Amino acid sequence: DAEITQSPRHKITETGRQVTLACHQTWNHNNMFWYRQDLGHGLRLIHYSYGVQDTNKGEVSDGYSVSRSNTEDLPLTLESAASSQTSVYFCASSVTGTGGEQYFGPGTRLTVT
Amino acid sequence: GQQVMQIPQYQHVQEGEDFTTYCNSSTTLSNIQWYKQRPGGHPVFLIQLVKSGEVKKQKRLTFQFGEAKKNSSLHITATQTTDVGTYFCAGERTTDSWGKLQFGAGTQVVVTP
C-alpha cells in the first residue's frame, strides 16, 4: 500500500545545530508540503514543492530550507535550530493540480533545547 | 495572519448532543476541505466541497459551503466519543497556487460520556 513516512518521529537537538527531517512518499504525488503545528495556530505551511527541482516558500519559511531531487522525497532542513522551532512537523502530499486531498505523514516532534 | 478563521476553538459536548463548527475566509475559495486529527495523530481528510451552496453528508456529519464560497460549516449530530479530536477546515484560495491550502486553527472537540 502507498504511504507517506517521516523520520525521525522524535528528535531533541541543541540550539544552533543543523537538523534534517525526512519525508518519503510512495503515492507518486507531485505535490509535497511541510507544515508545522503549534497550539492555537493550526497547521502553518513552511515550504512546498510541485515536482522535482521545484520548491516554494510558505508563510513561515524563515530558518528552513527544502530540496526536491526526486518525486518521493522532500527533506526539511533547519539551518541553525532555534527554540522557537520546537514544534510538531507534518509532511503531506497530494496529486497534481487543484483540489486534491492531502495525505499526511505521522509527524515529527522536534524539541530544540 | 490567519486568513481562515475557525470558531469555536474548543467545544465540550455531552454525548448524544449536536454541535457545529464554523470556518470563515477573508477571500473567495476555489474549494474547502475538512480534516480530522485524533489526539496524538495526524490530520486525516474527511471531505471536499467545491460548489457554491454545496451540502454533503457523511453519516452523522453534515458539511456546507457558503453561497459566496467564503465560509463553511461542519455539523455533527448525536455526538459519540469517537468524534473526539480536532477538526480543521482548509481552503484553497482562488488567488493561490493549485493544491496550496490555508488551514484554520481548528476546533478541538471533547466529548463527555
Side-chain angles (χ1 to χ4, degrees):
Chain A
D1 288 346
E3 61 178 356
I4 179 166
T5 57
Q6 292 183 236
S7 62
R9 296 294 311 280
H10 301 271
K11 174 79 176 177
I12 300 175
T13 191
E14 294 178 344
T15 300
R17 291 192 179 266
Q18 184 182 77
V19 177
T20 296
L21 308 183
C23 175
H24 179 81
Q25 54 98 2
T26 58
W27 293 99
N28 200 33
H29 286 161
N30 281 325
N31 297 349
M32 294 186 73
F33 308 86
W34 272 105
Y35 297 91
R36 59 177 289 173
Q37 184 173 39
D38 305 287
L39 278 175
H41 289 278
L43 292 153
R44 292 184 291 175
L45 185 64
I46 305 172
H47 281 285
Y48 59 103
S49 168
Y50 288 133
V52 177
Q53 302 301 330
D54 176 75
T55 61
N56 305 279
K57 294 181 179 180
E59 62 179 300
V60 290
S61 61
D62 287 350
Y64 303 93
S65 64
V66 293
S67 60
R68 188 88 181 271
S69 59
N70 57 55
T71 301
E72 296 79 20
D73 299 288
L74 186 71
L76 176 71
T77 297
L78 285 68
E79 305 293 345
S80 177
S83 58
S84 60
Q85 295 177 308
T86 292
S87 186
V88 179
Y89 291 86
F90 287 101
C91 178
S93 70
S94 69
V95 299
T96 303
T98 188
E101 69 176 271
Q102 292 192 8
Y103 295 79
F104 282 81
T108 294
R109 182 173 295 277
L110 176 68
T111 302
V112 183
T113 61
Chain B
Q2 199 92 39
Q3 302 282 347
V4 175
M5 304 301 295
Q6 231 179 307
I7 54 170
Q9 189 175 3
Y10 300 101
Q11 181 77 54
H12 290 253
V13 190
Q14 196 83 25
E15 193 173 13
E17 290 183 341
D18 302 352
F19 78 90
T20 303
T21 176
Y22 300 91
C23 182
N24 294 289
S25 170
S26 57
T27 59
T28 304
L29 302 172
S30 57
N31 64 77
I32 194 158
Q33 300 176 16
W34 285 88
Y35 292 78
K36 178 182 178 180
Q37 183 177 22
R38 295 184 186 276
H42 59 275
V44 175
F45 175 83
L46 292 176
I47 208 160
Q48 177 180 269
L49 304 169
V50 179
K51 299 176 183 177
S52 170
E54 189 170 13
V55 178
K56 287 188 176 181
K57 291 189 177 184
Q58 284 182 351
K59 297 183 180 178
R60 295 179 295 101
L61 278 61
T62 301
F63 303 85
Q64 290 188 318
F65 200 11
E67 293 291 338
K69 301 184 75 172
K70 285 188 174 183
N71 55 71
S72 182
S73 65
L74 160 59
H75 180 77
I76 300 182
T77 58
T79 305
Q80 299 177 358
T81 54
T82 54
D83 295 323
V84 165
T86 300
Y87 293 82
F88 294 97
C89 63
E92 188 174 325
R93 298 186 296 188
T94 54
T95 54
D96 262 340
S97 305
W98 284 2
K100 185 179 168 188
L101 296 174
Q102 283 273 330
F103 279 82
T107 294
Q108 184 179 347
V109 177
V110 175
V111 180
T112 306

